[in-house]
Coordinates of all heavy atoms in Angstrom, one line a residue:
L75 N -21.9 -23.8 7.4 CA -23.1 -24.1 8.1 C -24.3 -24.2 7.2 O -25.1 -25.1 7.2 CB -23.4 -22.9 9.1 CG -22.6 -23.0 10.4 CD1 -22.9 -21.7 11.3 CD2 -22.9 -24.2 11.2
F76 N -24.5 -23.2 6.2 CA -25.7 -23.2 5.4 C -25.7 -24.4 4.4 O -26.7 -25.0 4.3 CB -25.7 -21.9 4.6 CG -26.9 -21.8 3.7 CD1 -28.1 -21.4 4.2 CD2 -26.8 -22.1 2.3 CE1 -29.2 -21.4 3.3 CE2 -27.9 -22.0 1.5 CZ -29.1 -21.6 2.0
T77 N -24.5 -24.7 3.9 CA -24.4 -25.7 2.9 C -24.7 -27.1 3.5 O -25.5 -27.9 3.0 CB -23.0 -25.7 2.2 OG1 -22.8 -24.4 1.6 CG2 -22.9 -26.8 1.1
M78 N -24.0 -27.4 4.6 CA -24.0 -28.8 5.2 C -25.2 -29.0 6.1 O -25.7 -30.1 6.2 CB -22.7 -29.0 6.0 CG -21.5 -29.0 5.2 SD -21.6 -30.2 3.8 CE -20.1 -29.8 2.9
D79 N -25.7 -28.0 6.8 CA -26.8 -28.2 7.8 C -28.1 -27.7 7.3 O -29.1 -28.1 8.0 CB -26.3 -27.5 9.1 CG -25.1 -28.1 9.7 OD1 -25.1 -29.3 9.8 OD2 -24.2 -27.4 10.0
I80 N -28.2 -26.9 6.3 CA -29.5 -26.4 5.9 C -29.8 -26.9 4.5 O -30.8 -27.6 4.2 CB -29.6 -24.9 6.0 CG1 -29.5 -24.4 7.4 CG2 -30.9 -24.4 5.4 CD1 -29.5 -22.9 7.6
Y81 N -28.9 -26.5 3.5 CA -29.2 -26.9 2.1 C -29.2 -28.3 1.9 O -30.0 -28.9 1.1 CB -28.2 -26.1 1.2 CG -28.5 -26.2 -0.3 CD1 -29.4 -25.4 -0.9 CD2 -27.9 -27.2 -1.1 CE1 -29.8 -25.5 -2.2 CE2 -28.2 -27.3 -2.4 CZ -29.1 -26.5 -3.0 OH -29.4 -26.5 -4.3
K82 N -28.2 -29.0 2.5 CA -28.1 -30.5 2.3 C -29.4 -31.2 2.9 O -29.7 -32.3 2.4 CB -26.8 -31.0 3.1 CG -26.6 -32.5 2.9 CD -26.3 -32.8 1.4 CE -25.9 -34.2 1.2 NZ -27.0 -35.2 1.5
R83 N -30.0 -30.6 3.9 CA -31.2 -31.2 4.4 C -32.4 -31.0 3.4 O -33.3 -31.8 3.3 CB -31.6 -30.5 5.8 CG -30.7 -30.8 6.9 CD -30.6 -32.3 7.2 NE -29.3 -32.9 6.7 CZ -29.0 -34.2 6.6 NH1 -30.0 -35.0 7.0 NH2 -27.9 -34.6 6.2
L84 N -32.4 -29.8 2.8 CA -33.5 -29.5 1.8 C -33.3 -30.3 0.5 O -34.3 -30.7 -0.1 CB -33.5 -28.0 1.5 CG -33.7 -27.1 2.7 CD1 -33.6 -25.6 2.2 CD2 -35.1 -27.3 3.2
R85 N -32.0 -30.5 0.1 CA -31.7 -31.2 -1.1 C -30.7 -32.4 -0.8 O -29.5 -32.2 -1.1 CB -31.2 -30.3 -2.2 CG -32.3 -29.5 -3.0 CD -31.7 -28.7 -4.1 NE -30.8 -29.4 -5.0 CZ -31.3 -30.2 -6.0 NH1 -32.7 -30.3 -6.2 NH2 -30.5 -30.8 -6.8
P86 N -31.2 -33.5 -0.2 CA -30.2 -34.5 0.1 C -29.5 -35.1 -1.1 O -28.5 -35.8 -0.9 CB -31.1 -35.5 0.8 CG -32.5 -35.2 0.5 CD -32.5 -33.8 0.2
Q87 N -30.1 -35.0 -2.3 CA -29.5 -35.5 -3.4 C -28.5 -34.6 -4.1 O -27.9 -35.0 -5.1 CB -30.7 -35.9 -4.5 CG -31.3 -34.7 -5.2 CD -32.3 -34.0 -4.4 OE1 -32.5 -34.3 -3.2 NE2 -33.1 -33.1 -5.1
A88 N -28.3 -33.5 -3.6 CA -27.4 -32.5 -4.1 C -26.0 -33.0 -4.2 O -25.5 -33.7 -3.3 CB -27.3 -31.2 -3.3
K89 N -25.3 -32.9 -5.4 CA -24.0 -33.3 -5.6 C -23.0 -32.4 -5.0 O -23.3 -31.2 -4.7 CB -23.7 -33.6 -7.1 CG -24.7 -34.5 -7.7 CD -24.7 -35.9 -7.1 CE -25.7 -36.8 -7.8 NZ -25.7 -38.1 -7.2
E90 N -21.7 -32.8 -4.9 CA -20.7 -32.0 -4.3 C -20.5 -30.6 -5.1 O -20.3 -29.6 -4.5 CB -19.4 -32.7 -4.4 CG -18.2 -32.0 -3.8 CD -16.9 -32.8 -3.7 OE1 -16.8 -33.6 -2.8 OE2 -16.1 -32.6 -4.6
R91 N -20.5 -30.7 -6.4 CA -20.4 -29.5 -7.2 C -21.4 -28.4 -6.8 O -21.2 -27.3 -6.7 CB -20.4 -29.8 -8.7 CG -20.2 -28.7 -9.6 CD -20.5 -29.2 -11.1 NE -20.2 -28.1 -12.1 CZ -19.0 -27.8 -12.6 NH1 -17.9 -28.6 -12.2 NH2 -18.8 -26.9 -13.5
E92 N -22.7 -28.9 -6.7 CA -23.8 -28.0 -6.4 C -23.6 -27.4 -5.0 O -23.8 -26.3 -4.8 CB -25.1 -28.8 -6.4 CG -26.3 -28.0 -6.0 CD -27.6 -28.8 -6.1 OE1 -27.6 -29.9 -6.7 OE2 -28.6 -28.3 -5.6
L93 N -23.1 -28.2 -4.0 CA -22.9 -27.7 -2.6 C -21.8 -26.7 -2.6 O -22.0 -25.6 -1.9 CB -22.5 -28.9 -1.7 CG -23.6 -30.0 -1.4 CD1 -23.0 -31.0 -0.6 CD2 -24.8 -29.3 -0.8
L94 N -20.8 -26.8 -3.4 CA -19.7 -25.8 -3.4 C -20.2 -24.5 -4.0 O -19.8 -23.4 -3.5 CB -18.5 -26.4 -4.1 CG -17.7 -27.5 -3.5 CD1 -16.7 -28.1 -4.5 CD2 -17.0 -27.0 -2.2
I95 N -21.0 -24.5 -5.0 CA -21.5 -23.3 -5.6 C -22.5 -22.7 -4.7 O -22.5 -21.4 -4.5 CB -22.2 -23.7 -7.0 CG1 -21.1 -24.1 -8.0 CG2 -22.9 -22.4 -7.5 CD1 -21.7 -24.5 -9.3
V96 N -23.3 -23.4 -4.0 CA -24.3 -22.9 -3.1 C -23.6 -22.2 -1.9 O -24.1 -21.1 -1.5 CB -25.3 -24.0 -2.6 CG1 -26.0 -23.5 -1.4 CG2 -26.2 -24.5 -3.7
G97 N -22.5 -22.7 -1.5 CA -21.8 -22.1 -0.4 C -21.3 -20.7 -0.8 O -21.3 -19.8 0.0
R98 N -20.8 -20.5 -2.0 CA -20.4 -19.2 -2.5 C -21.5 -18.2 -2.7 O -21.5 -17.1 -2.3 CB -19.6 -19.4 -3.8 CG -18.2 -19.6 -3.7 CD -17.8 -21.1 -3.6 NE -16.4 -21.4 -3.8 CZ -15.9 -22.6 -3.9 NH1 -16.7 -23.6 -3.6 NH2 -14.6 -22.8 -4.1
V99 N -22.6 -18.7 -3.2 CA -23.8 -17.9 -3.5 C -24.4 -17.4 -2.1 O -24.8 -16.2 -2.0 CB -24.9 -18.6 -4.3 CG1 -26.1 -17.7 -4.4 CG2 -24.3 -18.9 -5.7
W100 N -24.4 -18.2 -1.1 CA -24.9 -17.8 0.2 C -24.1 -16.7 0.8 O -24.7 -15.8 1.4 CB -24.9 -19.1 1.1 CG -25.1 -18.7 2.5 CD1 -24.2 -18.7 3.5 CD2 -26.4 -18.2 3.1 NE1 -24.8 -18.2 4.7 CE2 -26.1 -18.0 4.5 CE3 -27.6 -18.0 2.6 CZ2 -27.1 -17.5 5.3 CZ3 -28.6 -17.5 3.4 CH2 -28.3 -17.3 4.8
I101 N -22.8 -16.7 0.6 CA -22.0 -15.6 1.1 C -22.5 -14.2 0.5 O -22.6 -13.3 1.3 CB -20.6 -15.8 0.6 CG1 -20.0 -17.0 1.4 CG2 -19.7 -14.5 0.9 CD1 -18.5 -17.4 1.0
L102 N -22.9 -14.2 -0.7 CA -23.3 -12.9 -1.3 C -24.7 -12.5 -0.7 O -24.9 -11.3 -0.4 CB -23.5 -13.1 -2.8 CG -22.3 -13.5 -3.6 CD1 -22.6 -13.7 -5.1 CD2 -21.2 -12.5 -3.4
L103 N -25.5 -13.4 -0.4 CA -26.8 -13.1 0.2 C -26.6 -12.6 1.6 O -27.3 -11.6 2.1 CB -27.7 -14.3 0.2 CG -29.1 -14.2 0.9 CD1 -29.9 -13.1 0.2 CD2 -29.9 -15.5 0.9
L104 N -25.7 -13.3 2.3 CA -25.4 -12.9 3.7 C -24.9 -11.4 3.8 O -25.2 -10.7 4.7 CB -24.3 -13.8 4.3 CG -24.3 -14.0 5.8 CD1 -25.5 -14.6 6.4 CD2 -23.1 -14.9 6.2
V105 N -24.1 -11.1 2.8 CA -23.5 -9.7 2.8 C -24.6 -8.7 2.6 O -24.6 -7.7 3.3 CB -22.5 -9.6 1.6 CG1 -22.2 -8.2 1.3 CG2 -21.2 -10.4 1.9
G106 N -25.6 -8.9 1.7 CA -26.6 -8.0 1.5 C -27.5 -7.7 2.8 O -27.8 -6.6 3.1
I107 N -27.8 -8.8 3.5 CA -28.6 -8.7 4.7 C -27.8 -7.9 5.8 O -28.3 -7.0 6.5 CB -28.9 -10.0 5.3 CG1 -29.8 -10.8 4.3 CG2 -29.7 -9.9 6.6 CD1 -30.1 -12.3 4.7
S108 N -26.5 -8.2 5.9 CA -25.7 -7.5 6.9 C -25.5 -6.0 6.6 O -25.5 -5.2 7.5 CB -24.3 -8.1 6.9 OG -24.3 -9.5 7.2
I109 N -25.4 -5.6 5.3 CA -25.4 -4.2 5.0 C -26.6 -3.5 5.4 O -26.6 -2.4 6.0 CB -25.2 -4.0 3.4 CG1 -23.8 -4.5 3.1 CG2 -25.4 -2.6 3.1 CD1 -23.5 -4.4 1.6
A110 N -27.8 -4.1 5.3 CA -29.1 -3.5 5.7 C -29.1 -3.3 7.2 O -29.9 -2.5 7.7 CB -30.2 -4.4 5.2
W111 N -28.3 -4.1 8.0 CA -28.4 -4.0 9.4 C -27.4 -3.0 10.0 O -27.5 -2.6 11.1 CB -28.0 -5.4 10.0 CG -28.2 -5.5 11.5 CD1 -27.3 -5.5 12.4 CD2 -29.5 -5.7 12.2 NE1 -27.8 -5.7 13.7 CE2 -29.2 -5.7 13.6 CE3 -30.8 -5.7 11.7 CZ2 -30.2 -5.9 14.5 CZ3 -31.8 -5.8 12.7 CH2 -31.5 -5.9 14.1
I112 N -26.5 -2.4 9.2 CA -25.5 -1.5 9.6 C -26.1 -0.2 10.3 O -25.6 0.2 11.3 CB -24.6 -1.0 8.4 CG1 -23.7 -2.2 8.1 CG2 -23.8 0.2 8.8 CD1 -22.8 -1.9 6.9
P113 N -27.2 0.4 9.8 CA -27.8 1.5 10.6 C -28.2 1.2 12.0 O -28.1 2.1 12.9 CB -29.0 1.9 9.7 CG -28.7 1.4 8.4 CD -27.9 0.1 8.6
V114 N -28.6 -0.1 12.3 CA -28.9 -0.4 13.7 C -27.6 -0.5 14.5 O -27.6 0.0 15.7 CB -29.6 -1.8 13.7 CG1 -29.9 -2.2 15.1 CG2 -30.9 -1.7 12.9
V115 N -26.6 -1.0 14.0 CA -25.3 -1.1 14.7 C -24.8 0.3 15.0 O -24.2 0.6 16.1 CB -24.3 -1.9 13.8 CG1 -22.9 -1.9 14.5 CG2 -24.7 -3.3 13.5
Q116 N -25.0 1.2 14.1 CA -24.4 2.6 14.2 C -24.9 3.3 15.5 O -24.2 4.1 16.1 CB -24.8 3.4 13.0 CG -24.0 4.7 12.9 CD -24.3 5.3 11.5 OE1 -25.2 5.0 10.8 NE2 -23.4 6.3 11.2
V117 N -26.1 3.1 15.9 CA -26.7 3.8 17.0 C -26.9 3.0 18.3 O -27.3 3.5 19.3 CB -28.1 4.5 16.6 CG1 -27.9 5.4 15.5 CG2 -29.1 3.4 16.2
A118 N -26.7 1.7 18.2 CA -27.0 0.8 19.3 C -26.0 1.0 20.5 O -24.9 1.4 20.3 CB -26.9 -0.7 18.9
Q119 N -26.5 0.8 21.7 CA -25.7 0.9 23.0 C -25.0 2.2 23.1 O -23.8 2.3 23.4 CB -24.7 -0.3 23.0 CG -25.3 -1.6 23.3 CD -26.0 -1.8 24.6 OE1 -25.5 -1.2 25.6 NE2 -27.1 -2.5 24.7
G120 N -25.7 3.3 22.8 CA -25.1 4.6 23.0 C -23.9 4.9 22.1 O -23.1 5.7 22.4
G121 N -23.9 4.2 21.0 CA -22.8 4.4 20.0 C -21.5 3.6 20.4 O -20.5 3.8 19.7
Q122 N -21.5 2.8 21.4 CA -20.3 2.0 21.8 C -20.4 0.7 21.2 O -21.2 -0.2 21.7 CB -20.2 2.0 23.4 CG -20.0 3.4 24.0 CD -19.6 3.3 25.5 OE1 -19.1 2.3 25.9 NE2 -20.0 4.3 26.2

């Protein structure tokens, strides 16, 4: 999603090699944001 629908719109001239690397780097960023959200998950909906 990020590579084809967001990054490709921002850099239409991006080559295939760049898109593949960006897809991998985005995964790492996504992981960091998700870890920060874990405390919210822990207590939401009465712990269920």
Side-chain angles (χ1 to χ4, degrees):
L75 281 176
F76 181 80
T77 303
M78 297 303 176
D79 295 311
I80 297 178
Y81 190 81
K82 184 65 174 68
R83 295 300 105 191
L84 297 176
R85 278 183 55 80
Q87 75 277 15
K89 304 300 182 182
E90 179 175 283
R91 183 184 183 88
E92 180 180 345
L93 292 178
L94 290 171
I95 293 176
V96 166
R98 272 87 165 182
V99 173
W100 167 250
I101 292 173
L102 301 179
L103 178 61
L104 203 65
V105 166
I107 299 173
S108 300
I109 291 176
W111 190 254
I112 287 179
V114 178
V115 177
Q116 193 171 14
V117 299
Q119 290 294 328
Q122 294 187 31

